[in-house]
Amino acid sequence: MSEAIPNLQARFERLRANKLFEALVIGIIIVSALLVGAKTYSETSRFEQALRVLDLGVTAFFLLELTIRMAGERRLRDFFSKGWNVFDFIIVVASLVPMNDSELVLLARLLRIFRVLRLVSMIPELRMLVTALFKSIPRMGYVALLMFIIFYIYGAIGSFLFHEVNEKLWGNIALAMLTLFQVATFESWATAVLYPTMEHFPYSWIYFITFIFLNSFVFLNMMIGIVLDVMQKESVQMELESGEGEAAELHGLRSDVQAMREQLSRMEALLQKRE
């Protein structure tokens, strides 16, 4: 009995690492996303019962898949020690909210939308991108703070100089900063902001060009550089972890071969004693 449990755990671990099983899970996640999208069309109301059965099947599969992954760990706390496993656990458990209850039907539908995010946890490249994004946030925060300072300075200058041109755009510093945000995104900024201002202040283009240069070229490239730097480090880390995983698997195979040799040696010794 004591040997059956490790063998069962090893089977679950092999199933969890199986590429076909992972592809099946990704396929079910896509089906779950399509089910959520289908329910937004009024034409599918006549298939409501079938969609509900499919939703129950998807939920049951996710529970089974999560159970297999948990059973594949040597200790249960090893499963919850990984952030992505906790993420999957929360999403799967949250999707258990029943849709039959009229008071919770909206919450249930909203929670089922987030099951699409499980694609991130299943695909290593997406995990790397999301991890890099979150690790970039602290460094990007300083760039964002510097951008806010520039926005504030230019907003104050614009409010002082151009408030007579258009009160809705330059009436106070808050409106001026919103106008500058429109300029930074290049959303109809020339016709709506630049040209009307240049009719009263011909040299105001200097104000706008310097602002665009700082925000859209300097700061934006700084943001991109930070993300690319973190992504490169995460890519190297993922390759190292993959190499360590292959080394650990090779070590495990060598241990199994060594154990088999020891068992054969003991069997040969027993046979020799009987002879």
Side-chain angles (χ1 to χ4, degrees):
M1 185 68 179
S2 59
E3 295 181 356
I5 295 177
N7 291 334
L8 189 62
Q9 182 267 331
R11 290 181 181 178
F12 282 131
E13 187 175 3
R14 286 195 297 270
L15 178 61
R16 180 188 62 184
N18 188 280
K19 296 298 182 183
L20 291 177
F21 182 73
E22 291 182 356
L24 177 62
V25 174
I26 293 174
I28 297 298
I29 293 172
I30 295 173
V31 170
S32 173
L34 293 176
L35 284 175
V36 173
K39 291 177 181 178
T40 61
Y41 291 91
S42 58
E43 292 83 357
T44 59
S45 58
R46 52 183 174 174
F47 305 110
E48 184 175 356
Q49 187 63 32
L51 292 175
R52 185 172 298 176
V53 172
L54 283 174
D55 182 77
L56 288 174
V58 169
T59 303
F61 178 83
F62 283 156
L63 278 175
L64 177 62
E65 181 256 340
L66 190 67
T67 303
I68 290 173
R69 289 171 56 189
M70 294 173 69
E73 297 288 348
R74 299 183 184 276
R75 294 172 298 181
L76 186 60
R77 65 180 181 181
D78 292 340
F79 177 85
F80 290 102
S81 64
K82 301 174 183 177
W84 288 111
N85 289 340
V86 176
F87 175 78
D88 287 341
F89 181 83
I90 292 173
I91 288 181
V92 172
V93 171
S95 65
L96 296 178
V97 176
M99 297 187 66
N100 297 328
D101 192 341
S102 59
E103 296 181 357
L104 298 176
V105 65
L106 179 59
L107 176 62
R109 288 178 178 176
L110 291 175
L111 291 174
R112 278 162 172 75
I113 294 173
F114 290 101
R115 292 196 298 202
V116 184
L117 290 174
R118 293 204 59 207
L119 281 174
V120 177
S121 64
M122 292 301 302
I123 302 176
E125 288 75 12
L126 291 180
R127 288 203 304 266
M128 187 266 291
L129 289 175
V130 174
T131 302
L133 177 62
F134 278 101
K135 288 187 177 181
S136 302
I137 290 176
R139 294 168 62 182
M140 290 169 62
Y142 293 106
V143 180
L145 178 60
L146 185 57
M147 287 179 64
F148 175 79
I149 293 173
I150 298 300
F151 263 82
Y152 192 86
I153 293 173
Y154 272 81
I157 295 173
S159 180
F160 292 147
L161 296 178
F162 311 136
H163 68 278
E164 296 180 356
V165 176
N166 192 331
E167 284 286 336
K168 294 181 179 179
L169 296 180
W170 308 101
N172 53 57
I173 191 170
L175 292 174
M177 291 177 68
L178 287 174
T179 303
L180 289 174
F181 184 80
Q182 178 183 353
V183 173
T185 57
F186 299 107
E187 181 62 32
S188 303
W189 73 279
T191 57
V193 181
L194 176 63
Y195 295 148
T197 307
M198 287 183 64
E199 291 178 0
H200 297 79
F201 298 91
Y203 294 101
S204 61
W205 61 269
I206 300 174
Y207 169 88
F208 291 104
I209 293 300
T210 55
F211 174 78
I212 290 173
F213 178 79
L214 286 173
N215 285 278
S216 300
F217 293 102
V218 177
F219 294 138
L220 182 60
N221 286 324
M222 289 173 67
M223 291 278 195
I224 295 173
I226 290 171
V227 175
L228 289 177
D229 180 56
V230 177
M231 283 180 60
Q232 184 179 8
K233 292 179 180 178
E234 286 298 313
S235 178
V236 172
Q237 182 66 27
M238 188 171 67
E239 291 177 359
L240 290 174
E241 290 177 356
S242 176
E244 290 175 358
E246 292 176 357
E249 184 177 356
L250 181 61
H251 179 73
L253 290 174
R254 289 176 178 174
S255 299
D256 292 340
V257 171
Q258 184 64 29
M260 291 177 65
R261 287 178 178 175
E262 292 176 356
Q263 289 181 358
L264 289 173
S265 299
R266 287 196 294 268
M267 291 176 64
E268 289 178 357
L270 289 172
L271 290 174
Q272 289 175 0
K273 286 181 180 180
R274 289 181 180 180
E275 292 175 357

